[in-house]
Amino acid sequence: MAATISVLTFSTADGAKEALDVVQGLSKQHLVNLHDAAIVTWPEGKKKPKTRQLANLAGIGALDGAFWGLLFGLIFFVPFFGMAIGAAMGALGGKFADYGIDDSFIKSVRTQVTEGTSALFLMTSGAVTDKVADAMKGLDFEILTTNLSTDEEEKLRQAFAHNLAD
């Protein structure tokens, strides 16, 4: 089963951490396979976001810290670098396009994760969607993007929208 990369955004700086705790609990119950995760938090009053990779996942297929570090560098720090660094990061960004992470994704995340918000980046597989949606009930988030097919992503959005409305 192929892994799904999902990005969830939260209107609070601690929302991503709360959601990660829920997903880790679901993983322990074997309701979702959590391969890797990273969170970005941007507390009020801070100049830039803080990032943290879930360090205790060392299984085959888990992404290493370099992947998350480079991705977050592209998303959050390029605007502050000079042209030479920007060009190098742009070339690196071309490599990410091979994994479905393109400029529009980077721009979308950059505009959604701002001061006072957070985001959760997940690599999962084998989710029992209705159980996951029930467990996430009450968390205020938006599914920013996934690498699912359009139909699969729409079903996921509907499952979470239904549970968030309850």
Side-chain angles (χ1 to χ4, degrees), residues 20-39:
L20 179 57
D21 291 343
V22 171
V23 173
Q24 286 177 308
L26 292 168
S27 179
K28 288 177 184 172
Q29 297 174 49
H30 305 288
L31 296 172
V32 64
N33 297 321
L34 179 59
H35 302 287
D36 206 353
I39 59 174

Side-chain angles (χ1 to χ4, degrees), residues 7 75-76 104-113 121 144:
V7 180
I75 293 171
F76 297 109
S104 63
F105 166 81
I106 292 166
K107 288 175 187 171
S108 178
V109 174
R110 188 181 293 148
T111 61
Q112 295 278 335
V113 182
F121 294 73
L144 184 59

Side-chain angles (χ1 to χ4, degrees), residues 5-19:
I5 297 177
S6 304
V7 180
L8 311 176
T9 57
F10 300 83
S11 59
T12 63
D14 60 348
K17 172 65 173 104
E18 291 173 14

